[in-house]
């Protein structure tokens, strides 16, 4: 077990003294979705490189900023600097934005990501509400980092993601006329994209989208008592489901096209929370 309170005490104390307010809603922006931060009023921004011990994001599309922002009268913490396990960081390091949000008393978190579509009804550009996760590949490490046991009540995944937030996300989509998909997000550690056989297996076992983030963040946030909502932007057909070669630039390109719907959806969710 890693004592995350001890590990991140310095960074928490340092940021606590400089923030303009305690955020109510944390929004983690996925690959290619970072522009959302510019669509709301920024009150104060921190480059993550200024924060002691904050890992450096090495992935294109993750700028490395924490923004304290406002929209519709709500106080926001916008994370534009997600840390991925596949970048070679420890799981505990990937959890740092979530740890910060919780220690700043944030009560809600909306996690967003770019994902490959496994469900053959999905196409690039779709937005998907994550109604459950498959995180088997990392569950053991994760529960060890958190020091959880299988009988730990805080780890029962009963309201995970939060039913209340899911209802708000669905209502937001309805109000904005956005055809929101729903599905299971299958977490992989990466760092490479999947093989065709892996995708076939995921399909058989109920996966609708695949990606390399979010699951561990969602579990940790829920463990710390935050209500968790999660949305995938389907940026590509998963491996073997189209003849196109998978690439990060395709992911970024599709995310760019979804930007407008994504912005409307997330803004409406903020209004409804
Ligand atoms: N696989 C894994 N991660 C991803 C994908 C994918 O197809 N697309 C975007 N992130």
């Amino acid at each position: 077990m890693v004592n995350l309170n001890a590990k991140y005490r310095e960074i928490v104390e340092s940021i606590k003294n400089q923030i303009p307010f305690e955020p109510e809603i944390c929004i983690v922006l996925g690959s290619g979705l970072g522009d959302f931060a510019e669509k709301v009023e920024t009150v104060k921004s921190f480059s993550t490189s200024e924060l002691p011990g904050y890992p450096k994001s090495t992935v294109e599309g993750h700028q490395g900023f924490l923004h304290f922002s406002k929209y519709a009268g709500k106080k926001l913490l916008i994370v534009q600097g997600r840390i991925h396990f596949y970048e070679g960081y420890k799981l505990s390091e990937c959890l740092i934005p979530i740890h910060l949000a919780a220690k700043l008393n944030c009560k809600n978190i909306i996690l967003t990501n770019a994902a490959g579509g496994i469900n053959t009804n999905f196409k690039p550009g779709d937005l998907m509400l994550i109604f459950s996760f498959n995180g088997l590949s990392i569950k053991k490490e994760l529960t060890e980092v958190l020091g959880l046991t299988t009988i730990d009540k805080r780890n029962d995944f009963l309201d995970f993601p939060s039913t209340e937030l899911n209802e708000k996300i669905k209502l937001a989509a309805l109000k904005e006329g956005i055809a929101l998909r729903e599905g299971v997000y299958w977490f992989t550690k990466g760092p490479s994209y999947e093989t065709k056989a892996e995708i076939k297996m995921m399909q058989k076992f109920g996966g609708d989208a695949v990606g390399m983030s979010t699951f561990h963040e969602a579990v940790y946030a829920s463990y710390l008592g935050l209500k968790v909502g999660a949305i995938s932007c389907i940026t590509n057909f998963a491996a073997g489901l189209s003849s196109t070669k998978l690439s990060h630039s395709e992911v970024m390109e599709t995310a760019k096209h979804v930007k407008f719907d994504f912005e409307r959806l997330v803004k409406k969710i903020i209004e409804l929370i």
Side-chain angles (χ1 to χ4, degrees):
M1 174 183 170
V2 183
N3 185 337
L4 293 176
N5 281 323
K7 189 173 162 92
Y8 295 129
R9 186 160 296 133
E10 193 189 347
I11 185 169
V12 170
E13 289 313 316
S14 137
I15 203 163
K16 255 190 185 166
N17 293 326
Q18 304 176 62
I19 54 172
F21 48 70
E22 287 190 341
E24 309 161 58
I25 308 168
C26 176
I27 298 172
V28 179
L29 298 172
S31 293
L33 301 170
D35 284 5
F36 179 81
E38 275 96 61
K39 306 295 177 194
V40 290
E41 181 200 343
T42 307
V43 179
K44 186 161 185 177
S45 299
F46 296 85
S47 163
T48 54
S49 60
E50 294 163 19
L51 300 170
Y54 198 106
K56 205 172 152 41
S57 181
T58 62
V59 184
E60 191 205 337
H62 291 270
Q63 293 94 326
F65 285 99
L66 300 183
H67 302 284
F68 287 80
S69 307
K70 281 191 178 164
Y71 180 73
K74 308 278 166 59
K75 298 179 186 114
L76 313 173
L77 165 58
I78 302 186
V79 178
Q80 236 184 359
R82 173 177 260 148
I83 311 299
H84 301 84
F85 193 65
Y86 67 77
E87 292 173 82
Y89 288 115
K90 294 191 190 118
L91 200 47
S92 56
E93 291 172 312
C94 300
L95 298 175
I96 197 164
I98 314 303
H99 188 80
L100 278 177
K103 296 299 160 185
L104 300 179
N105 286 325
C106 193
K107 300 293 177 231
N108 303 279
I109 189 162
I110 305 291
L111 298 162
T112 72
N113 61 46
I118 298 176
N119 185 320
T120 50
N121 294 317
F122 293 0
K123 57 182 189 324
D126 284 350
L127 292 166
M128 182 191 93
L129 169 74
I130 299 178
F131 77 75
S132 194
F133 292 90
N134 186 313
L136 285 174
S137 64
I138 207 164
K139 217 164 172 185
K140 183 166 183 293
E141 282 124 299
L142 183 59
T143 45
E144 274 168 11
V145 167
L146 304 186
L148 298 173
T149 66
T150 47
I151 53 161
D152 195 314
K153 290 224 164 26
R154 291 167 300 178
N155 191 27
D156 59 13
F157 298 112
L158 282 181
D159 192 35
F160 174 76
S162 153
T163 313
E164 187 188 320
L165 278 192
N166 279 355
E167 289 310 315
K168 288 184 175 159
I169 294 170
K170 285 194 251 183
L171 183 61
L174 196 69
K175 281 182 183 278
E176 287 299 318
I178 293 169
L180 186 67
R181 309 293 197 155
E182 281 184 46
V184 171
Y185 177 90
W186 195 300
F187 169 84
T188 78
K189 288 177 174 173
S192 62
Y193 290 116
E194 299 68 42
T195 66
K196 293 176 204 166
E198 286 162 357
I199 294 298
K200 243 188 193 169
M201 178 203 70
M202 292 173 189
Q203 223 168 25
K204 276 203 173 134
F205 286 91
D208 294 294
V210 58
M212 306 178 205
S213 68
T214 310
F215 170 69
H216 44 295
E217 300 165 344
V219 172
Y220 188 46
S222 169
Y223 167 68
L224 294 178
L226 279 86
K227 284 186 195 136
V228 176
I231 300 164
S232 287
C233 168
I234 307 296
T235 50
N236 54 282
F237 292 107
L241 301 183
S242 93
S243 51
T244 323
K245 191 171 154 29
L246 282 187
S247 69
H248 191 61
S249 45
E250 183 193 3
V251 169
M252 297 291 289
E253 191 55 35
T254 310
K256 214 161 73 184
H257 289 126
V258 184
K259 214 153 74 168
F260 182 58
D261 278 356
F262 178 77
E263 179 191 328
R264 286 192 299 129
L265 178 65
V266 178
K267 281 186 167 170
K268 188 56 77 180
I269 296 167
I270 296 168
E271 287 171 28
L272 294 173
I273 289 179

Short mmCIF file of all heavy atoms in Angstrom, two decimals, residues 120-175:
data_model
loop_
_atom_site.label_atom_id
_atom_site.label_comp_id
_atom_site.label_asym_id
_atom_site.label_seq_id
_atom_site.Cartn_x
_atom_site.Cartn_y
_atom_site.Cartn_z
N THR A 120 -20.11 -2.45 -32.63
CA THR A 120 -20.15 -2.18 -34.07
C THR A 120 -21.24 -1.17 -34.45
O THR A 120 -21.28 -0.71 -35.59
CB THR A 120 -20.32 -3.49 -34.88
OG1 THR A 120 -21.42 -4.20 -34.31
CG2 THR A 120 -19.08 -4.35 -34.84
N ASN A 121 -22.11 -0.85 -33.50
CA ASN A 121 -23.09 0.23 -33.78
C ASN A 121 -22.49 1.61 -33.57
O ASN A 121 -23.12 2.61 -33.88
CB ASN A 121 -24.31 0.09 -32.85
CG ASN A 121 -25.08 -1.16 -33.14
OD1 ASN A 121 -25.30 -1.49 -34.29
ND2 ASN A 121 -25.46 -1.88 -32.09
N PHE A 122 -21.30 1.67 -32.98
CA PHE A 122 -20.68 2.96 -32.70
C PHE A 122 -19.79 3.38 -33.87
O PHE A 122 -19.18 2.54 -34.52
CB PHE A 122 -19.79 2.90 -31.45
CG PHE A 122 -20.52 2.66 -30.16
CD1 PHE A 122 -21.90 2.50 -30.12
CD2 PHE A 122 -19.82 2.58 -28.96
CE1 PHE A 122 -22.56 2.27 -28.91
CE2 PHE A 122 -20.46 2.36 -27.76
CZ PHE A 122 -21.84 2.20 -27.73
N LYS A 123 -19.71 4.69 -34.04
CA LYS A 123 -18.80 5.20 -35.08
C LYS A 123 -17.96 6.34 -34.51
O LYS A 123 -18.37 6.98 -33.52
CB LYS A 123 -19.57 5.63 -36.32
CG LYS A 123 -20.60 6.68 -36.04
CD LYS A 123 -21.37 7.05 -37.27
CE LYS A 123 -22.26 8.26 -37.04
NZ LYS A 123 -22.89 8.42 -35.74
N PRO A 124 -16.82 6.59 -35.12
CA PRO A 124 -15.99 7.70 -34.63
C PRO A 124 -16.79 9.00 -34.60
O PRO A 124 -17.52 9.31 -35.54
CB PRO A 124 -14.84 7.77 -35.65
CG PRO A 124 -14.74 6.37 -36.16
CD PRO A 124 -16.15 5.85 -36.19
N GLY A 125 -16.66 9.71 -33.50
CA GLY A 125 -17.41 10.96 -33.32
C GLY A 125 -18.54 10.80 -32.32
O GLY A 125 -19.09 11.78 -31.84
N ASP A 126 -18.91 9.54 -32.00
CA ASP A 126 -19.98 9.32 -31.01
C ASP A 126 -19.47 9.64 -29.60
O ASP A 126 -18.28 9.45 -29.30
CB ASP A 126 -20.42 7.84 -31.01
CG ASP A 126 -21.30 7.52 -32.21
OD1 ASP A 126 -21.73 8.45 -32.91
OD2 ASP A 126 -21.56 6.32 -32.43
N LEU A 127 -20.39 10.07 -28.76
CA LEU A 127 -20.07 10.24 -27.34
C LEU A 127 -20.78 9.13 -26.57
O LEU A 127 -21.92 8.79 -26.88
CB LEU A 127 -20.53 11.62 -26.86
CG LEU A 127 -19.75 12.79 -27.46
CD1 LEU A 127 -20.46 14.12 -27.23
CD2 LEU A 127 -18.33 12.85 -26.88
N MET A 128 -20.10 8.56 -25.61
CA MET A 128 -20.66 7.41 -24.88
C MET A 128 -20.59 7.62 -23.37
O MET A 128 -19.53 7.92 -22.83
CB MET A 128 -19.85 6.15 -25.24
CG MET A 128 -20.36 4.87 -24.58
SD MET A 128 -19.22 3.48 -24.77
CE MET A 128 -18.27 3.62 -23.25
N LEU A 129 -21.72 7.48 -22.73
CA LEU A 129 -21.75 7.47 -21.27
C LEU A 129 -21.20 6.12 -20.81
O LEU A 129 -21.64 5.07 -21.29
CB LEU A 129 -23.19 7.63 -20.78
CG LEU A 129 -23.43 7.38 -19.30
CD1 LEU A 129 -22.90 8.54 -18.48
CD2 LEU A 129 -24.90 7.15 -19.02
N ILE A 130 -20.23 6.15 -19.91
CA ILE A 130 -19.68 4.89 -19.40
C ILE A 130 -20.58 4.40 -18.27
O ILE A 130 -20.64 5.04 -17.21
CB ILE A 130 -18.24 5.08 -18.90
CG1 ILE A 130 -17.34 5.54 -20.06
CG2 ILE A 130 -17.72 3.78 -18.25
CD1 ILE A 130 -15.89 5.81 -19.66
N PHE A 131 -21.32 3.32 -18.49
CA PHE A 131 -22.16 2.86 -17.38
C PHE A 131 -21.47 1.80 -16.54
O PHE A 131 -21.87 1.53 -15.41
CB PHE A 131 -23.59 2.48 -17.79
CG PHE A 131 -23.75 1.14 -18.49
CD1 PHE A 131 -23.68 -0.05 -17.79
CD2 PHE A 131 -24.00 1.10 -19.85
CE1 PHE A 131 -23.84 -1.27 -18.42
CE2 PHE A 131 -24.18 -0.12 -20.49
CZ PHE A 131 -24.08 -1.29 -19.79
N SER A 132 -20.41 1.20 -17.06
CA SER A 132 -19.58 0.34 -16.22
C SER A 132 -18.21 0.16 -16.88
O SER A 132 -18.01 0.56 -18.02
CB SER A 132 -20.24 -1.01 -15.97
OG SER A 132 -19.57 -1.67 -14.90
N PHE A 133 -17.30 -0.43 -16.10
CA PHE A 133 -15.92 -0.61 -16.57
C PHE A 133 -15.53 -2.08 -16.53
O PHE A 133 -15.98 -2.83 -15.65
CB PHE A 133 -14.95 0.10 -15.63
CG PHE A 133 -15.03 1.59 -15.64
CD1 PHE A 133 -15.88 2.26 -14.77
CD2 PHE A 133 -14.23 2.34 -16.48
CE1 PHE A 133 -15.95 3.64 -14.75
CE2 PHE A 133 -14.29 3.73 -16.47
CZ PHE A 133 -15.15 4.37 -15.60
N ASN A 134 -14.63 -2.45 -17.41
CA ASN A 134 -13.88 -3.68 -17.19
C ASN A 134 -12.44 -3.25 -16.90
O ASN A 134 -11.74 -2.75 -17.78
CB ASN A 134 -13.92 -4.60 -18.40
CG ASN A 134 -13.27 -5.93 -18.09
OD1 ASN A 134 -12.17 -5.98 -17.52
ND2 ASN A 134 -13.92 -7.01 -18.43
N GLY A 135 -12.02 -3.44 -15.64
CA GLY A 135 -10.68 -3.01 -15.25
C GLY A 135 -9.88 -4.15 -14.68
O GLY A 135 -8.95 -3.95 -13.88
N LEU A 136 -10.23 -5.39 -15.13
CA LEU A 136 -9.60 -6.57 -14.53
C LEU A 136 -8.08 -6.54 -14.63
O LEU A 136 -7.39 -7.03 -13.73
CB LEU A 136 -10.13 -7.84 -15.21
CG LEU A 136 -11.56 -8.24 -14.81
CD1 LEU A 136 -12.03 -9.40 -15.66
CD2 LEU A 136 -11.62 -8.57 -13.34
N SER A 137 -7.54 -5.95 -15.72
CA SER A 137 -6.10 -6.02 -15.92
C SER A 137 -5.32 -5.22 -14.89
O SER A 137 -4.11 -5.41 -14.73
CB SER A 137 -5.73 -5.53 -17.33
OG SER A 137 -6.06 -4.17 -17.47
N ILE A 138 -5.98 -4.33 -14.17
CA ILE A 138 -5.23 -3.48 -13.25
C ILE A 138 -5.84 -3.47 -11.84
O ILE A 138 -5.33 -2.82 -10.94
CB ILE A 138 -5.13 -2.04 -13.81
CG1 ILE A 138 -3.88 -1.34 -13.27
CG2 ILE A 138 -6.37 -1.22 -13.54
CD1 ILE A 138 -3.49 -0.10 -14.02
N LYS A 139 -6.88 -4.26 -11.66
CA LYS A 139 -7.62 -4.20 -10.40
C LYS A 139 -6.76 -4.59 -9.20
O LYS A 139 -6.85 -3.98 -8.14
CB LYS A 139 -8.82 -5.14 -10.49
CG LYS A 139 -10.01 -4.59 -9.79
CD LYS A 139 -11.23 -5.32 -10.23
CE LYS A 139 -12.39 -4.90 -9.38
NZ LYS A 139 -13.57 -5.67 -9.71
N LYS A 140 -5.92 -5.58 -9.40
CA LYS A 140 -5.11 -6.05 -8.27
C LYS A 140 -4.14 -4.96 -7.83
O LYS A 140 -4.07 -4.61 -6.65
CB LYS A 140 -4.36 -7.33 -8.66
CG LYS A 140 -3.55 -7.92 -7.53
CD LYS A 140 -3.11 -9.33 -7.83
CE LYS A 140 -2.36 -9.95 -6.68
NZ LYS A 140 -1.07 -9.30 -6.45
N GLU A 141 -3.40 -4.38 -8.80
CA GLU A 141 -2.46 -3.30 -8.46
C GLU A 141 -3.20 -2.13 -7.82
O GLU A 141 -2.73 -1.53 -6.86
CB GLU A 141 -1.79 -2.74 -9.72
CG GLU A 141 -0.67 -3.58 -10.27
CD GLU A 141 -0.94 -3.94 -11.71
OE1 GLU A 141 -1.96 -4.62 -11.98
OE2 GLU A 141 -0.13 -3.56 -12.58
N LEU A 142 -4.36 -1.83 -8.37
CA LEU A 142 -5.11 -0.67 -7.89
C LEU A 142 -5.57 -0.88 -6.45
O LEU A 142 -5.39 0.00 -5.61
CB LEU A 142 -6.32 -0.44 -8.81
CG LEU A 142 -7.17 0.77 -8.50
CD1 LEU A 142 -6.36 2.05 -8.57
CD2 LEU A 142 -8.33 0.87 -9.50
N THR A 143 -6.12 -2.02 -6.18
CA THR A 143 -6.60 -2.24 -4.81
C THR A 143 -5.42 -2.30 -3.85
O THR A 143 -5.52 -1.88 -2.70
CB THR A 143 -7.47 -3.52 -4.71
OG1 THR A 143 -6.83 -4.57 -5.42
CG2 THR A 143 -8.84 -3.29 -5.27
N GLU A 144 -4.26 -2.75 -4.33
CA GLU A 144 -3.06 -2.75 -3.48
C GLU A 144 -2.61 -1.33 -3.18
O GLU A 144 -2.30 -1.00 -2.04
CB GLU A 144 -1.93 -3.54 -4.15
CG GLU A 144 -2.03 -5.02 -3.84
CD GLU A 144 -1.11 -5.86 -4.72
OE1 GLU A 144 -0.25 -5.30 -5.42
OE2 GLU A 144 -1.28 -7.09 -4.68
N VAL A 145 -2.59 -0.49 -4.22
CA VAL A 145 -2.17 0.91 -4.01
C VAL A 145 -3.09 1.57 -2.99
O VAL A 145 -2.65 2.31 -2.11
CB VAL A 145 -2.22 1.71 -5.35
CG1 VAL A 145 -2.11 3.21 -5.11
CG2 VAL A 145 -1.10 1.27 -6.26
N LEU A 146 -4.36 1.27 -3.09
CA LEU A 146 -5.32 1.92 -2.20
C LEU A 146 -5.39 1.23 -0.84
O LEU A 146 -6.06 1.70 0.07
CB LEU A 146 -6.71 1.94 -2.83
CG LEU A 146 -6.80 2.62 -4.20
CD1 LEU A 146 -8.23 2.71 -4.67
CD2 LEU A 146 -6.18 4.00 -4.17
N GLY A 147 -4.75 0.08 -0.72
CA GLY A 147 -4.78 -0.65 0.54
C GLY A 147 -6.15 -1.23 0.83
O GLY A 147 -6.58 -1.36 1.98
N LEU A 148 -6.87 -1.59 -0.22
CA LEU A 148 -8.23 -2.13 -0.02
C LEU A 148 -8.19 -3.64 0.09
O LEU A 148 -7.32 -4.29 -0.48
CB LEU A 148 -9.11 -1.76 -1.20
CG LEU A 148 -9.35 -0.28 -1.45
CD1 LEU A 148 -10.10 -0.09 -2.74
CD2 LEU A 148 -10.12 0.32 -0.29
N THR A 149 -9.16 -4.19 0.77
CA THR A 149 -9.31 -5.63 0.77
C THR A 149 -10.63 -5.92 0.08
O THR A 149 -11.45 -5.03 -0.12
CB THR A 149 -9.37 -6.18 2.20
OG1 THR A 149 -10.57 -5.68 2.79
CG2 THR A 149 -8.18 -5.76 3.02
N THR A 150 -10.82 -7.16 -0.29
CA THR A 150 -12.04 -7.50 -1.04
C THR A 150 -13.29 -7.30 -0.20
O THR A 150 -14.38 -7.21 -0.73
CB THR A 150 -12.00 -8.96 -1.51
OG1 THR A 150 -11.60 -9.74 -0.40
CG2 THR A 150 -11.08 -9.14 -2.67
N ILE A 151 -13.13 -7.26 1.11
CA ILE A 151 -14.33 -7.09 1.92
C ILE A 151 -14.51 -5.64 2.35
O ILE A 151 -15.39 -5.33 3.14
CB ILE A 151 -14.33 -8.01 3.17
CG1 ILE A 151 -13.04 -7.82 3.95
CG2 ILE A 151 -14.56 -9.44 2.78
CD1 ILE A 151 -13.12 -8.29 5.39
N ASP A 152 -13.67 -4.78 1.80
CA ASP A 152 -13.78 -3.38 2.17
C ASP A 152 -15.08 -2.80 1.60
O ASP A 152 -15.30 -2.81 0.41
CB ASP A 152 -12.57 -2.61 1.61
CG ASP A 152 -12.43 -1.25 2.27
OD1 ASP A 152 -13.46 -0.56 2.39
OD2 ASP A 152 -11.31 -0.90 2.64
N LYS A 153 -15.91 -2.27 2.46
CA LYS A 153 -17.23 -1.76 2.03
C LYS A 153 -17.10 -0.57 1.07
O LYS A 153 -17.96 -0.33 0.24
CB LYS A 153 -18.04 -1.31 3.25
CG LYS A 153 -18.51 -2.44 4.12
CD LYS A 153 -19.96 -2.20 4.49
CE LYS A 153 -20.66 -3.41 5.04
NZ LYS A 153 -19.83 -4.42 5.67
N ARG A 154 -15.99 0.17 1.21
CA ARG A 154 -15.83 1.33 0.34
C ARG A 154 -15.51 0.92 -1.09
O ARG A 154 -15.36 1.72 -1.97
CB ARG A 154 -14.70 2.22 0.87
CG ARG A 154 -15.04 2.90 2.17
CD ARG A 154 -13.81 3.49 2.79
NE ARG A 154 -12.80 2.46 3.05
CZ ARG A 154 -11.61 2.71 3.56
NH1 ARG A 154 -11.27 3.94 3.84
NH2 ARG A 154 -10.76 1.73 3.79
N ASN A 155 -15.36 -0.38 -1.27
CA ASN A 155 -14.91 -0.86 -2.58
C ASN A 155 -15.95 -1.79 -3.20
O ASN A 155 -15.63 -2.72 -3.89
CB ASN A 155 -13.59 -1.60 -2.37
CG ASN A 155 -12.90 -1.92 -3.67
OD1 ASN A 155 -13.09 -1.21 -4.65
ND2 ASN A 155 -12.15 -2.99 -3.68
N ASP A 156 -17.24 -1.50 -2.91
CA ASP A 156 -18.24 -2.46 -3.38
C ASP A 156 -18.80 -2.13 -4.77
O ASP A 156 -19.56 -2.91 -5.33
CB ASP A 156 -19.37 -2.61 -2.35
CG ASP A 156 -20.08 -1.29 -2.07
OD1 ASP A 156 -19.87 -0.34 -2.85
OD2 ASP A 156 -20.82 -1.22 -1.09
N PHE A 157 -18.42 -0.98 -5.32
CA PHE A 157 -18.81 -0.60 -6.68
C PHE A 157 -20.33 -0.60 -6.89
O PHE A 157 -20.80 -0.82 -7.99
CB PHE A 157 -18.15 -1.54 -7.71
CG PHE A 157 -16.66 -1.47 -7.71
CD1 PHE A 157 -15.91 -2.55 -7.28
CD2 PHE A 157 -16.00 -0.33 -8.12
CE1 PHE A 157 -14.53 -2.49 -7.26
CE2 PHE A 157 -14.62 -0.26 -8.11
CZ PHE A 157 -13.87 -1.35 -7.68
N LEU A 158 -21.09 -0.36 -5.82
CA LEU A 158 -22.54 -0.42 -5.97
C LEU A 158 -23.09 0.80 -6.70
O LEU A 158 -24.02 0.67 -7.49
CB LEU A 158 -23.22 -0.55 -4.60
CG LEU A 158 -23.18 -1.96 -4.01
CD1 LEU A 158 -23.90 -2.00 -2.68
CD2 LEU A 158 -23.78 -2.97 -4.97
N ASP A 159 -22.54 1.95 -6.42
CA ASP A 159 -23.04 3.14 -7.10
C ASP A 159 -21.89 3.75 -7.91
O ASP A 159 -21.47 4.88 -7.69
CB ASP A 159 -23.58 4.14 -6.07
CG ASP A 159 -24.37 5.26 -6.76
OD1 ASP A 159 -25.04 4.98 -7.78
OD2 ASP A 159 -24.29 6.41 -6.30
N PHE A 160 -21.39 2.97 -8.82
CA PHE A 160 -20.16 3.31 -9.52
C PHE A 160 -20.28 2.95 -10.99
O PHE A 160 -20.41 1.76 -11.30
CB PHE A 160 -19.00 2.54 -8.88
CG PHE A 160 -17.70 2.71 -9.61
CD1 PHE A 160 -16.97 3.88 -9.50
CD2 PHE A 160 -17.21 1.69 -10.43
CE1 PHE A 160 -15.78 4.03 -10.19
CE2 PHE A 160 -16.01 1.85 -11.11
CZ PHE A 160 -15.30 3.02 -10.98
N PRO A 161 -20.24 3.90 -11.90
CA PRO A 161 -20.34 5.34 -11.69
C PRO A 161 -21.66 5.73 -10.99
O PRO A 161 -22.57 4.92 -10.90
CB PRO A 161 -20.27 5.91 -13.11
CG PRO A 161 -19.61 4.87 -13.93
CD PRO A 161 -20.02 3.56 -13.32
N SER A 162 -21.71 6.97 -10.56
CA SER A 162 -22.84 7.45 -9.78
C SER A 162 -24.14 7.47 -10.60
O SER A 162 -24.18 8.08 -11.67
CB SER A 162 -22.51 8.86 -9.28
OG SER A 162 -23.68 9.61 -9.08
N THR A 163 -25.17 6.83 -10.07
CA THR A 163 -26.46 6.81 -10.77
C THR A 163 -26.98 8.23 -10.93
O THR A 163 -27.51 8.60 -11.98
CB THR A 163 -27.47 6.00 -9.93
OG1 THR A 163 -26.84 4.79 -9.53
CG2 THR A 163 -28.73 5.69 -10.69
N GLU A 164 -26.79 9.02 -9.88
CA GLU A 164 -27.29 10.40 -9.92
C GLU A 164 -26.60 11.20 -11.05
O GLU A 164 -27.27 11.87 -11.83
CB GLU A 164 -27.00 11.05 -8.56
CG GLU A 164 -27.60 12.42 -8.41
CD GLU A 164 -27.12 13.07 -7.12
OE1 GLU A 164 -27.01 12.39 -6.07
OE2 GLU A 164 -26.85 14.29 -7.17
N LEU A 165 -25.27 11.07 -11.12
CA LEU A 165 -24.57 11.81 -12.20
C LEU A 165 -24.92 11.25 -13.57
O LEU A 165 -25.09 12.01 -14.53
CB LEU A 165 -23.05 11.77 -11.99
CG LEU A 165 -22.46 12.77 -11.00
CD1 LEU A 165 -20.94 12.80 -11.13
CD2 LEU A 165 -23.02 14.17 -11.22
N ASN A 166 -25.07 9.94 -13.67
CA ASN A 166 -25.44 9.35 -14.96
C ASN A 166 -26.76 9.90 -15.46
O ASN A 166 -26.93 10.20 -16.64
CB ASN A 166 -25.55 7.82 -14.84
CG ASN A 166 -24.20 7.15 -14.92
OD1 ASN A 166 -23.19 7.82 -15.16
ND2 ASN A 166 -24.16 5.84 -14.74
N GLU A 167 -27.71 10.04 -14.53
CA GLU A 167 -29.02 10.59 -14.92
C GLU A 167 -28.86 12.02 -15.43
O GLU A 167 -29.50 12.42 -16.40
CB GLU A 167 -30.01 10.55 -13.74
CG GLU A 167 -30.47 9.13 -13.37
CD GLU A 167 -30.97 8.33 -14.58
OE1 GLU A 167 -31.73 8.89 -15.39
OE2 GLU A 167 -30.56 7.15 -14.73
N LYS A 168 -27.98 12.77 -14.77
CA LYS A 168 -27.77 14.16 -15.19
C LYS A 168 -27.08 14.22 -16.55
O LYS A 168 -27.39 15.07 -17.37
CB LYS A 168 -26.95 14.92 -14.13
CG LYS A 168 -27.82 15.15 -12.91
CD LYS A 168 -27.17 15.97 -11.85
CE LYS A 168 -28.22 16.21 -10.76
NZ LYS A 168 -27.68 16.55 -9.48
N ILE A 169 -26.15 13.32 -16.77
CA ILE A 169 -25.44 13.29 -18.06
C ILE A 169 -26.44 12.95 -19.18
O ILE A 169 -26.45 13.56 -20.24
CB ILE A 169 -24.27 12.27 -18.02
CG1 ILE A 169 -23.20 12.75 -17.03
CG2 ILE A 169 -23.66 12.07 -19.41
CD1 ILE A 169 -22.11 11.73 -16.72
N LYS A 170 -27.32 11.99 -18.89
CA LYS A 170 -28.31 11.60 -19.91
C LYS A 170 -29.29 12.74 -20.20
O LYS A 170 -29.64 13.01 -21.34
CB LYS A 170 -29.07 10.35 -19.46
CG LYS A 170 -28.23 9.08 -19.58
CD LYS A 170 -29.08 7.86 -19.47
CE LYS A 170 -28.84 7.16 -18.18
NZ LYS A 170 -29.57 5.92 -17.99
N LEU A 171 -29.70 13.42 -19.12
CA LEU A 171 -30.62 14.54 -19.28
C LEU A 171 -29.95 15.67 -20.07
O LEU A 171 -30.57 16.30 -20.93
CB LEU A 171 -31.07 15.03 -17.89
CG LEU A 171 -32.08 16.16 -17.86
CD1 LEU A 171 -33.38 15.72 -18.55
CD2 LEU A 171 -32.40 16.57 -16.42
N ALA A 172 -28.67 15.90 -19.77
CA ALA A 172 -27.93 16.95 -20.47
C ALA A 172 -27.90 16.64 -21.97
O ALA A 172 -28.12 17.53 -22.80
CB ALA A 172 -26.51 17.05 -19.91
N ALA A 173 -27.66 15.39 -22.32
CA ALA A 173 -27.60 15.00 -23.73
C ALA A 173 -28.96 15.21 -24.39
O ALA A 173 -29.05 15.73 -25.51
CB ALA A 173 -27.15 13.54 -23.85
N LEU A 174 -30.00 14.82 -23.67
CA LEU A 174 -31.37 14.97 -24.19
C LEU A 174 -31.67 16.44 -24.45
O LEU A 174 -32.15 16.80 -25.53
CB LEU A 174 -32.33 14.40 -23.13
CG LEU A 174 -33.75 14.09 -23.57
CD1 LEU A 174 -33.73 12.90 -24.52
CD2 LEU A 174 -34.61 13.75 -22.33
N LYS A 175 -31.36 17.26 -23.48
CA LYS A 175 -31.64 18.70 -23.61
C LYS A 175 -30.86 19.32 -24.76
O LYS A 175 -31.31 20.27 -25.38
CB LYS A 175 -31.30 19.43 -22.30
CG LYS A 175 -32.37 19.27 -21.22
CD LYS A 175 -31.97 20.05 -19.98
CE LYS A 175 -32.96 19.88 -18.85
NZ LYS A 175 -34.13 20.74 -18.92
#
